[in-house]
Amino acid sequence: MKIAILGGTGPQGKGLALRFAAAGIDVVLGSRDGARAAEIAEELNAKQASVEGQISGAGNAEATAAADEIVILAVPFSAHNATLEAIREQLVGKILVDIVVPLADGDPKAVDMPAEGSATEAAQALLGDEIPVVGALHNVSAATLNNLGHAINCDILVCGNSLEAKEKVIDLIASLDVKAYNAGPVVNARCIEAITPILIRLNISKKVPFTHAGIKIWAPDH
């Protein structure tokens, strides 16, 4: 299996690439600078001498085309729409997993949602209904993803209008030994994306005795 991660040269993209490669999944990092993506891919492969999945790098369009079916978007929100417009043709027949959170400019403790309501909804509106968009992995710390010595410490909320696409993304996330839950239609991304600045606020608070917190769905004990 091969997936693409656009924005794969950033902290969250690199962490996801390492995690999926460790799970035996091939990853193509996408970037506006394909040469830079290839360099980062070599560095990430060197960090893991005994994994089954290989990491490569390419331009965004080439990386999207190389993916078997699933493409993860991990760019800053400022580049969100422009990136999607540039790869729309290559996304036909594939699933876009949007992990972008529209944090407020200069204040990561707040969101600045687009007119559509969330980054995930903006992606679905831009791409049209023929390309399924799934929102997921919004609330995972990049530091946690890059710390391969520890398991991912949270559950994942997954939303989107296509049940089939969501189930495929949930199966992909399960390869990371993480529990993912179907959180409903794409409109629910408004709630899920808004959790991220709350976690950031907690993680930087001097009154909270830990960092890199995530969220967990707990079963009742009765």
Side-chain angles (χ1 to χ4, degrees):
M1 180 181 188
K2 181 180 288 186
I3 66 171
I5 302 177
L6 310 186
T9 58
Q12 198 162 19
K14 289 191 286 187
L16 284 171
L18 288 168
R19 293 280 180 172
F20 282 120
I25 295 170
D26 291 335
V27 179
V28 186
L29 301 182
S31 172
R32 289 178 297 178
D33 185 342
R36 177 60 177 160
E39 290 177 8
I40 295 294
E42 288 183 11
E43 293 172 8
L44 295 179
N45 283 321
K47 286 185 177 182
Q48 301 190 103
S50 59
V51 298
E52 296 181 15
Q54 288 297 306
I55 305 171
S56 57
N60 283 329
E62 292 79 10
T64 302
D68 292 336
E69 185 175 25
I70 295 178
V71 178
I72 299 174
L73 184 65
V75 300
F77 184 66
S78 59
H80 182 269
N81 287 7
T83 301
L84 291 177
E85 289 169 353
I87 62 166
R88 187 199 308 254
E89 182 178 339
Q90 289 78 23
L91 280 171
V92 174
K94 301 188 179 182
I95 298 168
L96 178 77
V97 181
D98 197 325
I99 75 170
V100 178
V101 176
L103 297 174
D105 187 25
D107 184 7
K109 302 185 300 299
V111 288
D112 185 9
M113 294 297 193
E116 294 84 356
S118 65
T120 308
E121 289 172 276
Q124 189 67 83
L126 190 153
L127 295 174
D129 292 339
E130 65 276 11
I131 298 174
V133 176
V134 175
L137 296 162
H138 298 103
N139 311 137
V140 188
S141 162
T144 296
L145 290 172
N146 282 278
N147 188 354
L148 298 183
H150 293 276
I152 295 173
N153 63 334
C154 62
D155 296 328
I156 307 298
L157 299 177
V158 179
C159 65
N161 292 336
S162 167
L163 177 59
E164 180 183 4
K166 283 188 289 187
E167 289 178 341
K168 289 181 178 180
V169 173
I170 288 171
D171 287 344
L172 175 66
I173 293 171
S175 70
L176 304 180
D177 293 324
V178 176
K179 181 64 177 177
Y181 292 90
N182 179 354
V186 70
V187 67
N188 288 353
R190 303 178 187 191
C191 305
I192 300 169
E193 293 175 23
I195 293 172
T196 295
I198 297 173
L199 293 173
I200 292 173
R201 180 179 292 274
L202 292 173
N203 287 333
I204 66 177
S205 172
K206 294 180 180 179
K207 295 185 178 181
V208 177
F210 50 77
T211 59
H212 313 310
I215 60 171
K216 276 281 190 180
I217 308 299
W218 289 98
D221 57 1
H222 55 79

